[in-house]
Amino acid sequence: MKKLRALVIAGVLALSCVVTACGAAGGGGSKTIKVGVVNNPPSESGYREANVKDMESVFSAENGYDLKTSYSLKNDEQLQAAQGFITEGVDYLLISAAETTGWDEVLKKAKEAGIKVYLFDRMIDVDESLYEAAVVSDMAKEGETAVNWLLDQKLDVYNVIHIQGAMGSDAQIGRTGALDAQFAAGTMNKVVQQTATWDEAEAKKIVESVINSGEDFNVIYAENDGMAKGAVAALDEAGITHGVDGKVIVMGFDCNKWALRELLAGNWNYDGQCSPFQAKIISDLIKGNTTSSTKKIINEEKGFDAKTLTQSDIDTYGLGE
Amino acid sequence: MQEATLLQMRHIDKRFPGVLALNNVDFTLRGGEIHALMGENGAGKSTLIKILTGVYQMDGGEILVEGEQATIRSPQDAQNHGISTVYQEITLCPNLTVGENMFIGRENSPWIKHKEREERADEILGQLGIPARSTQQLGSCSLAVQQMVAIARAVDMNCKVLILDEPTSSLDDKEVNMLFSLMKDLKSKGVGIIFVTHFLEQVYEVSDRITVLRNGELVGEYLTSELPQVELVAKMIGKELDELSALSEVDEKKSVQGEVFYEARDLSSSDAMPFDFTIRKGEVNGFTGLLGSGRSESVRAIFGADKVTGGKVKIKGEEVKITHPIDAMKHGIGYLAEDRKRDGIIADLSVRENIILALQVMNGMFKPISRSESEAFADEYIKVLNIKTASRETPVGSLSGGNQQKVILARWLLTHPDYLILDEPTRGIDVGTKLEIQKLVLKLAEDGVSVTFISSEVEEMLRTCSRLIVMRDRHIVGELKGQDLTQAKVMKTIAGGEKQNENE
Amino acid sequence: MKTNKKLFAGGLGQLTIPVIAIVLLVIFNLIRDPGFFGIAVMHNNDGNIVLTGNLISIINGASELAVLAMGMTLVTAACGGQDISVGAAAAIAGSVLVKVLKSASAINGGTVILAFCSACIVAMIFGAFNGVLVAVFKIQPMIATLILYTCGRSIAYWINGGATPTVSSPIINAIGSFIPGIPIPTPVLIVALMAILFKLLFHFTSLELFTQSVGVNGSAARLNGINSTFIKLLSFIILGVCVSVAGTIGVSRLGLINHETLLLDVEMDTILAVAIGGNNLGGGKFKISGSIIGAYVIQMLTITLYAMKVSSTDVKAYKAIVIILLVVIGSPVVKQRFGKLVEKLMSNKKTVSVKGAE
């Protein structure tokens, strides 16, 4: 299976080599910028889907780019694809790596070939000199924004059900950190802290078991939208009110459009953004429209409150449909 | 020739839930004798053997090996006491070489000395006159040779007691003779051999002594030379042999003149060469020939059990297509397969379910036989065929071989077939049941059912069939009826008949 | 004495282990928290009177697993192997359901039925695909279904082209949680309905006998006129129906399909439910009821661990321990030893009582 896929990729790459070689020979001094993007496949998540779309729309032919993409969840396949782009002779290489290790050799080769590398979404464990810049989300900051919003609600007591994402993932570590600090400081009570590994149905079971135990809670902090939805389903079945005028505050992350609509309807209270929109920032850097003093560029991210959210926010920032 | 007592089993008791399988049984084996262990199915032969080999633990009694008390709790213990067993089914690995098979699991050193081992294996094979080389793959040898290799393996493990459990049931005459000469050879070397078989002739050919068991009890121990065959059978089944003699007196079977029920022309399958065949209503015929002569393959072709590749088939004069078993069944044909375990019983299912299976298949998926109806059917046939089972819900696999065979017979009788094919229905089952089955066949024929009866015991076929089709090398070489139905004539035809359907 | 023995003999059947497991879990929970199985009646947010409590959570939460276990039992019995693609296939069925619902202008009873039928047909086709590989091409079931296991969730993604499409409709909500006026969760009712359908299927056809025959001895079944290829294929198609039902429940619970997480890892739990139910994973005789109980055992275990606030990352490890115990206890070797022990005890008792009489 894997072999087959590698073979197909190799075949496609070989073919595209030939095509571009012809193009280069015939075209002469065309000014398009060749960009190779190594990314995770859009099927990975709603986030990735928006991310891929964003890349495609920014690095379009109209904007003067020649975009080549390769999607894989596997690091070795990503490495092969990057290798392919280097051989092919792209001008810029954009990478969101499946794993943080194993990229030294490829990035060194890119450097030797004079190809400039940008990292997006995810960092890689390599020397800073090997890439131009890394445009990433700061998950810890996302968590802080959310917890600060929660503190601003000035509840008498905070009894929190904390539903975590897949343990060890960047998003989970970042979004858990800020809340853990509050638990440690004693400003908030941890009713239960469980991972549902991004699984909506699992989140529902976790909340259900708390309800069945009869323990009191007034906040659900779910580390993504799906799990928040699962938690709310459990509340609905047990007749517990939630949202703007409800007993329980519901918080989610990722800003899927459907989740923001829940906010707009007042069923949820807060949704934290995890911006998949890095293409514009990178494009601006490539074209010299902006410069950055640091190599690590944090993508600006918002948190939406049900009370202040507007339809235009949904249209602008919402992911998916 | 008589030597000292080698093995003594005294007052052996063995209980299974609800059954006393062995009750106070004694058995004595002397060095250098071939001792036949006889009894009907369920008499306790295999239980006794399994206690001796450590598969079962006895509930009472003692075992002495060369006069010393022996505790046998596992097959390994048995082997340590010099007791080896060769089973009916070969338990060696066909994909290893003969040499490897002889030494597998016996070497203590992690280093295998190939050369040494091969030489040793060849030496033993040579000594015992077994026609195999140590480097040959076991699967490429004939069944008989495989069995002999198993024996050679046992012999090389310094066995004093060799148990041969139905060793001849899948061998042809020539192979049986090879095996017998090997047994006699071992006997002369002082090995005590326990020989379990259903073939009476073979008992008289090789054994010195006979121990008879019946219903878990010892009937007695006899010198073979002093026990006439008829008396042996009487002791085994525990009744006088009126029925047996009565049956064998039905000698002048007239050839049936009914209408032709089934007719095949140039019928062939993936396994059977083209042949012609007809059977009339109420006729009992048989296919005979040596093992591998194609007799089973031919009847399988009639039933559509193998891929049918050609030929024309008529039933009651009308042309029909039979390519799958279900086609044959729909035309009133039933087939009791040669290999009961592999092709006959559904071991985990109950006697009841096994009995109704074929009828249910004919009725189709959407007309299930109701529980009460199926219970009635099962009870009826358990009674009619005298099937010995704890209840109709007992898994058929736990029944004795003969009773399993009766269950399969019941399955086909329940479909009320017009034509029943019985391939080796009497193999590996006890004398009493054999008789019952033969009688049943004759009764069916009287009722107008056509029967094809196959048996490796020619005598049995001569007793039941009015017409014998003789095969050799996958071709029909003759057809015998009336006066010609004698053992001598059959042998002669097998040896020299003209082949049918052979194209130049 | 005699009736006693009979009861015991009956009790040593296939269902002993799962029933004992359930009883032990119940006792354990009652000791831990006497109110654990308390059922409360309350109004949910839609204003319906509903039942809640751990017991309801258990039987409700096990619904998808129970439905899948029923179909898996049949496949196991006929083919002597398991389908490991049920989770992925359920994601496909769920995606089809959502796709059809989203493309309809309005979601009403008709569109829901249409959507379910489409999901069902698609799941049956994928079931047939697995079935053909197993029955016709004689590929080992686990290997054959590995294909769909690997690519099923990608296919589910392609169907909707989005990561987590949502549908909201009172009808979908009613399927996933409660029908107004009925206080029992709908998935529980669906499980009951499926169990009844299977019962009827076995009553009005001889599928059970044929499947068992094929599973125990395929060669003999063939020579008795059973089309074993068809029976095997059929078992996979029936599993397909179960898959679509499970997928529909899963989607309806939240009104959302996440192709990556819908019924994730359910295939292993399903196989375990079949095994805990005392069914031979090598094929042959089977009891659907055993598998259903097996599903509830697994779910009760999960809920118990959650109630004990065991971290959900550790839940899997604890589950594994309990399941290993159950499967080992249910193995033929242990059963045989236990049977012998009982026999011994019984015969001892007998002699004692006889002596006592003297």
Side-chain angles (χ1 to χ4, degrees):
Chain A
M1 195 76 195
K2 203 162 151 188
K3 254 189 191 154
L4 188 73
R5 217 192 298 178
L7 211 68
V8 170
I9 289 172
V12 170
L13 286 180
L15 203 67
S16 52
C17 278
V18 174
V19 172
T20 45
C22 293
S30 102
K31 270 190 147 185
T32 53
I33 305 169
K34 280 187 226 156
V35 175
V37 174
V38 178
N39 202 346
N40 296 284
S43 64
E44 182 213 61
S45 59
Y47 172 89
R48 193 64 54 189
E49 194 189 349
N51 182 241
V52 167
K53 265 190 200 154
D54 181 45
M55 289 285 164
E56 281 167 1
S57 67
V58 171
F59 296 106
S60 61
E62 297 93 77
N63 293 345
Y65 289 102
D66 177 11
L67 176 69
K68 294 188 167 51
T69 53
S70 164
Y71 304 120
S72 172
L73 282 171
K74 299 207 173 88
N75 213 41
D76 56 338
E77 286 175 10
Q78 285 195 339
L79 284 167
Q80 276 179 25
Q83 193 80 54
F85 287 141
I86 293 167
T87 330
E88 201 180 320
V90 293
D91 302 316
Y92 294 92
L93 191 56
L94 276 51
I95 300 166
S96 172
E99 281 166 33
T100 52
T101 52
W103 286 89
D104 285 76
E105 282 305 309
V106 172
L107 295 196
K108 270 179 200 156
K109 268 189 198 157
K111 195 169 179 143
E112 281 164 21
I115 297 169
K116 290 186 176 156
V117 175
Y118 286 93
L119 308 183
F120 65 95
D121 174 37
R122 294 179 183 185
M123 296 296 293
I124 296 178
D125 276 344
V126 286
D127 192 81
E128 269 199 353
S129 65
L130 288 177
Y131 56 86
E132 297 299 309
V135 183
V136 292
S137 296
D138 186 345
M139 306 282 186
K141 202 171 148 227
E142 286 171 24
E144 273 162 32
T145 314
V147 169
N148 286 336
W149 174 88
L150 187 55
L151 285 170
D152 283 344
Q153 305 306 303
K154 305 263 186 288
L155 303 183
D156 299 334
V157 60
Y158 288 92
N159 292 323
V160 184
I161 295 180
H162 181 189
I163 304 168
Q164 298 167 291
M167 298 305 280
S169 63
D170 270 358
Q172 180 270 324
I173 293 169
R175 291 166 191 176
T176 296
L179 194 58
D180 263 348
Q182 299 298 324
F183 289 151
T187 45
M188 294 182 186
N189 303 323
K190 176 164 73 180
V191 176
V192 75
Q193 185 178 51
Q194 286 278 33
T195 173
T197 49
W198 310 125
D199 183 350
E200 301 80 13
E202 200 67 23
K204 177 169 182 263
K205 282 182 194 165
I206 290 168
V207 175
E208 225 172 71
S209 94
V210 177
I211 295 170
N212 289 336
S213 73
E215 277 178 272
D216 202 28
F217 61 93
N218 60 356
V219 177
I220 287 177
Y221 183 96
E223 290 180 0
N224 79 356
D225 286 339
M227 296 194 296
K229 191 167 170 67
V232 167
L235 296 180
D236 279 339
E237 278 186 11
I240 298 169
T241 57
H242 51 84
V244 175
D245 297 315
K247 177 180 172 252
V248 176
I249 286 178
V250 178
M251 303 172 68
F253 286 92
D254 287 354
C255 288
N256 285 296
K257 276 205 174 102
W258 57 264
L260 292 177
R261 283 197 283 269
E262 293 281 356
L263 252 70
L264 199 61
N267 293 332
W268 297 12
N269 301 71
Y270 175 89
D271 206 12
Q273 196 195 7
C274 180
S275 174
F277 308 122
Q278 301 106 355
K280 181 84 173 54
I281 301 172
I282 297 174
S283 171
D284 284 346
L285 288 170
I286 290 175
K287 293 197 167 160
N289 298 344
T290 54
T291 49
S292 175
S293 51
T294 55
K295 290 237 163 176
K296 189 172 176 181
I297 301 165
I298 305 295
N299 201 357
E300 199 61 34
E301 284 167 337
K302 300 175 188 299
F304 295 102
D305 185 326
K307 288 178 195 146
T308 56
L309 182 80
T310 62
Q311 182 62 45
S312 79
D313 286 339
I314 300 181
D315 297 337
T316 321
Y317 299 105
L319 307 185
E321 29 165 342
Chain B
M1 156 158 157
Q2 268 323 319
E3 280 191 33
T5 304
L6 196 59
L7 168 81
Q8 257 187 309
M9 298 177 82
R10 279 196 216 145
H11 314 304
I12 305 292
D13 285 337
K14 175 67 191 173
R15 230 169 281 123
F16 289 118
V19 198
L20 193 59
L22 288 176
N23 182 11
N24 198 18
V25 170
D26 293 339
F27 179 79
T28 309
L29 179 72
R30 297 148 194 86
E33 74 169 359
I34 297 176
H35 196 138
L37 185 57
M38 302 295 290
E40 289 199 68
N41 277 23
K45 289 174 314 221
S46 31
T47 311
L48 192 70
I49 297 291
K50 281 179 178 161
I51 284 174
L52 187 56
T53 52
V55 178
Y56 292 154
Q57 255 82 83
M58 57 193 171
D59 293 322
E62 56 179 355
I63 299 176
L64 303 176
V65 178
E66 293 182 314
E68 278 181 43
Q69 190 102 26
T71 347
I72 299 176
R73 295 197 177 281
S74 67
Q76 192 59 49
D77 284 346
Q79 229 160 61
N80 294 342
H81 283 105
I83 301 168
S84 291
T85 319
V86 174
Y87 290 100
Q88 180 177 1
E89 293 91 12
I90 312 284
T91 47
L92 302 179
C93 314
N95 51 346
L96 297 182
T97 66
V98 170
E100 282 164 338
N101 266 298
M102 286 174 65
F103 292 95
I104 193 170
R106 290 172 46 201
E107 280 154 337
N108 296 324
S109 141
W111 310 108
I112 296 170
K113 298 168 191 125
H114 281 285
K115 195 84 193 143
E116 205 174 293
R117 193 169 68 175
E118 274 166 27
E119 278 166 10
R120 172 85 186 123
D122 277 329
E123 191 185 322
I124 303 163
L125 293 171
Q127 270 174 16
L128 298 176
I130 299 170
R133 281 168 297 110
S134 68
T135 48
Q136 194 176 355
Q137 196 176 328
L138 185 74
S140 69
C141 304
S142 71
L143 276 181
V145 172
Q146 292 191 26
Q147 206 129 32
M148 290 174 162
V149 170
I151 295 171
R153 174 184 156 92
V155 170
D156 189 47
M157 291 195 280
N158 293 321
C159 86
K160 287 171 266 185
V161 177
L162 179 64
I163 303 165
L164 299 176
D165 191 357
E166 294 271 5
T168 55
S169 54
S170 45
L171 305 186
D172 64 28
D173 289 347
K174 213 179 112 206
E175 292 171 327
V176 169
N177 284 332
M178 269 163 71
L179 182 67
F180 284 174
S181 62
L182 174 59
M183 284 165 69
K184 285 172 188 158
D185 194 25
L186 290 174
K187 173 175 122 175
S188 68
K189 288 179 176 144
V191 177
I193 297 175
I194 303 175
F195 180 40
V196 182
T197 183
H198 281 103
F199 298 104
L200 299 185
E201 295 83 5
Q202 295 180 356
V203 170
Y204 282 91
E205 204 179 325
V206 287
S207 76
D208 304 307
R209 219 180 277 266
I210 300 172
T211 290
V212 180
L213 299 181
R214 189 172 68 233
N215 290 333
E217 291 182 31
L218 176 69
V219 176
E221 189 196 271
Y222 313 92
L223 282 171
T224 310
S225 51
E226 291 169 8
L227 185 71
Q229 188 161 338
V230 185
E231 246 174 80
L232 169 61
V233 174
K235 287 189 192 308
M236 282 165 64
I237 63 178
K239 51 188 165 189
E240 289 308 311
L241 282 181
D242 301 342
E243 297 171 74
L244 186 64
S245 40
L247 199 63
S248 51
E249 269 165 26
V250 197
D251 247 343
E252 319 123 31
K253 276 169 277 110
K254 43 206 173 314
S255 50
V256 187
Q257 292 303 329
E259 55 169 320
V260 171
F261 174 75
Y262 175 95
E263 193 179 351
R265 193 147 282 282
D266 279 325
L267 181 63
S268 65
S269 78
S270 55
D271 294 4
M273 303 292 267
F275 67 98
D276 296 343
F277 174 71
T278 354
I279 190 162
R280 291 172 187 280
K281 192 168 181 297
E283 183 188 357
V284 182
N285 80 346
F287 278 79
T288 185
L290 300 174
L291 215 79
S293 61
R295 51 182 203 214
S296 291
E297 289 77 1
S298 299
V299 293
R300 284 176 71 92
I302 294 172
F303 189 65
D306 300 318
K307 191 174 166 26
V308 174
T309 51
K312 280 204 175 91
V313 172
K314 280 184 190 166
I315 284 181
K316 289 184 188 157
E318 271 181 49
E319 199 162 313
V320 295
K321 256 196 136 53
I322 295 179
T323 48
H324 290 100
I326 186 72
D327 305 332
M329 288 161 71
K330 289 211 169 122
H331 286 109
I333 304 177
Y335 167 64
L336 184 140
E338 182 185 11
D339 191 329
R340 180 173 64 234
K341 279 214 178 74
R342 205 189 59 172
D343 295 334
I345 57 165
I346 315 279
D348 294 348
L349 295 191
S350 67
V351 170
R352 176 180 59 82
E353 288 166 312
N354 269 282
I355 287 178
I356 63 158
L357 185 61
L359 181 63
Q360 180 62 75
V361 171
M362 284 174 67
N363 282 359
M365 180 92 105
F366 296 101
K367 278 195 203 130
I369 299 168
S370 76
R371 180 72 185 226
S372 55
E373 219 178 329
S374 71
E375 283 173 358
F377 282 143
D379 286 344
E380 181 191 338
Y381 277 93
I382 287 171
K383 215 172 123 208
V384 170
L385 296 182
N386 193 18
I387 299 171
K388 289 195 189 85
T389 171
S391 83
R392 60 175 176 250
E393 298 304 327
T394 310
V396 79
S398 65
L399 268 53
S400 70
N403 283 307
Q404 290 180 0
Q405 198 68 286
K406 284 182 182 175
V407 168
I408 303 171
L409 263 172
R411 178 191 292 166
W412 291 111
L413 293 181
L414 187 57
T415 64
H416 298 291
D418 296 320
Y419 174 27
L420 192 54
I421 302 167
L422 304 173
D423 193 353
E424 296 264 19
T426 56
R427 175 196 282 187
I429 67 178
D430 54 89
V431 176
T433 313
K434 273 185 189 179
L435 277 177
E436 284 178 53
I437 289 177
Q438 290 167 26
K439 273 198 289 184
L440 182 76
V441 166
L442 294 176
K443 170 139 189 324
L444 283 171
E446 245 171 64
D447 296 345
V449 178
S450 317
V451 181
T452 290
F453 185 91
I454 296 181
S455 168
S456 2
E457 289 180 49
V458 174
E459 248 179 64
E460 204 174 63
M461 294 182 72
L462 292 173
R463 228 180 281 145
T464 43
C465 303
S466 59
R467 188 162 59 98
L468 270 187
I469 290 161
V470 185
M471 297 192 73
R472 187 186 66 220
D473 300 335
R474 304 176 71 200
H475 287 279
I476 292 176
V477 291
E479 200 175 310
L480 305 173
K481 51 187 149 186
Q483 300 272 306
D484 290 339
L485 285 174
T486 63
Q487 190 129 20
K489 189 81 188 178
V490 171
M491 293 302 152
K492 223 173 133 189
T493 317
I494 289 176
E498 295 253 323
K499 287 183 186 176
Q500 174 210 318
N501 294 71
E502 197 170 44
N503 308 328
E504 281 37 60
Chain C
M1 188 73 195
K2 203 176 175 187
T3 52
N4 214 346
K5 205 171 176 183
K6 229 176 190 172
L7 266 179
F8 206 84
L12 266 180
Q14 202 188 320
L15 298 183
T16 320
I17 304 295
V19 167
I20 288 177
I22 280 222
V23 169
L24 285 181
L25 277 169
V26 168
I27 293 171
F28 175 76
N29 275 310
L30 286 179
I31 292 171
R32 208 177 46 76
D33 172 10
F36 187 74
F37 291 107
I39 293 179
V41 182
M42 54 170 76
H43 287 270
N44 72 359
N45 282 348
D46 297 331
N48 299 320
I49 294 175
V50 300
L51 299 176
T52 62
N54 280 313
L55 192 58
I56 301 295
S57 292
I58 291 165
I59 51 175
N60 185 8
S63 301
E64 292 96 321
L65 189 54
V67 171
L68 289 174
M70 292 183 214
M72 188 71 87
T73 311
L74 210 57
V75 166
T76 300
C79 310
Q82 288 74 36
D83 181 345
I84 58 168
S85 69
V86 287
I92 295 175
S95 296
V96 171
L97 183 88
V98 171
K99 177 83 181 170
V100 175
L101 287 176
K102 282 184 88 76
S103 52
S105 51
I107 298 176
N108 53 35
T111 48
V112 171
I113 290 170
L114 177 74
F116 172 72
C117 289
S118 317
C120 202
I121 289 165
V122 170
M124 281 160 80
I125 290 169
F126 278 104
F129 169 75
N130 282 335
V132 166
L133 290 182
V134 171
V136 179
F137 293 100
K138 318 269 180 233
I139 300 172
Q140 272 254 319
M142 285 228 185
I143 304 301
T145 54
L146 189 60
I147 300 165
L148 191 56
Y149 172 80
T150 317
C151 68
R153 291 187 188 273
S154 304
I155 295 173
Y157 169 76
W158 290 332
I159 291 169
N160 279 301
T164 50
T166 57
V167 281
S168 63
S169 142
I171 302 175
I172 291 298
N173 191 37
I175 296 173
S177 60
F178 291 91
I179 297 169
I182 299 177
I184 299 165
T186 319
V188 177
L189 302 176
I190 295 176
V191 171
L193 179 72
M194 288 299 286
I196 291 169
L197 284 179
F198 267 100
K199 191 84 196 161
L200 292 177
L201 181 67
F202 293 152
H203 186 81
F204 287 110
T205 72
S206 43
L207 183 66
E208 190 174 15
L209 178 64
F210 290 1
T211 304
Q212 294 190 142
S213 301
V214 169
V216 175
N217 188 342
S219 167
R222 204 180 73 77
L223 285 179
N224 279 292
I226 299 177
N227 186 341
S228 56
T229 308
F230 172 72
I231 295 287
K232 287 179 182 174
L233 190 59
L234 189 63
S235 72
F236 271 97
I237 293 175
I238 291 173
L239 177 59
V241 175
C242 295
V243 159
S244 67
V245 171
T248 303
I249 296 175
V251 168
S252 303
R253 279 189 198 279
L254 300 172
L256 160 154
I257 170 100
N258 181 339
H259 63 274
E260 282 297 334
T261 59
L262 181 78
L263 295 174
L264 189 65
D265 293 341
V266 79
E267 45 279 333
M268 292 306 147
D269 276 352
T270 309
I271 296 169
L272 277 175
V274 174
I276 291 174
N279 296 298
N280 184 354
L281 292 188
K285 277 190 85 84
F286 67 91
K287 267 210 167 95
I288 297 262
S289 53
S291 304
I292 298 175
I293 298 175
Y296 290 130
V297 169
I298 292 174
Q299 188 64 17
M300 190 181 283
L301 194 59
T302 314
I303 298 281
T304 304
L305 291 168
Y306 272 143
M308 292 168 71
K309 292 208 176 163
V310 173
S311 149
S312 54
T313 36
D314 302 347
V315 162
K316 278 186 185 147
Y318 285 103
K319 248 163 105 174
I321 293 170
V322 176
I323 284 159
I324 288 169
L325 278 175
L326 283 176
V327 174
V328 167
I329 291 169
S331 69
V333 177
V334 176
K335 263 189 184 162
Q336 206 184 348
R337 294 253 166 98
F338 184 72
K340 271 187 186 162
L341 191 74
V342 169
E343 203 182 301
K344 234 179 206 169
L345 286 177
M346 294 289 257
S347 60
N348 279 351
K349 229 187 199 169
K350 229 181 207 166
T351 50
V352 168
S353 62
V354 169
K355 267 183 197 161
E358 283 170 357

